Amino acid sequence: MNADMIAAWAVENGFQAIDSGNYRRHDNAGVITIEIKRMSFLLIDERQGLRPRLISRLFKDIALSSGSGRLQGLLLDRNPTH
């Protein structure tokens, strides 16, 4: 995985570009922000009434073949009841 692949995935999944390397999506549960760094990305999950959940991954830790699936898995784990 690399920064371009993360950015493309973000746009394909409804995230709006805030500026270079930062994407944000609003939904009924709250706001998700993706910050793409040089060698990693940070996903910030902010739900109303709860502390923000931070998930950071190095690009090298996400296999190319399953990268988009793993990213999708981070969002699917976004259960508002937890």
Side-chain angles (χ1 to χ4, degrees):
M1 272 243 101
N2 60 38
D4 292 335
M5 294 170 80
I6 301 282
W9 178 89
V11 171
E12 289 172 8
N13 285 277
F15 286 81
Q16 300 294 317
I18 300 170
D19 56 33
S20 179
N22 292 306
Y23 298 84
R24 184 168 289 152
R25 184 174 88 180
H26 298 266
D27 63 19
N28 292 336
V31 178
I32 301 174
T33 304
I34 297 175
E35 294 182 7
I36 301 172
K37 307 296 184 187
R38 193 169 140 225
M39 298 175 65
S40 65
F41 71 92
L42 174 66
L43 185 139
I44 305 166
D45 182 356
E46 300 174 276
R47 295 180 225 173
Q48 291 182 334
L50 299 175
R51 283 193 214 172
R53 181 174 70 140
L54 306 174
I55 301 170
S56 180
R57 297 284 188 271
L58 292 172
F59 295 143
K60 69 178 183 119
D61 293 339
I62 300 177
L64 291 175
S65 60
S66 65
S68 62
R70 284 191 177 183
L71 290 170
Q72 194 64 38
L74 294 174
L75 296 182
L76 292 176
D77 187 34
R78 192 170 192 251
N79 184 343
T81 61
H82 285 100

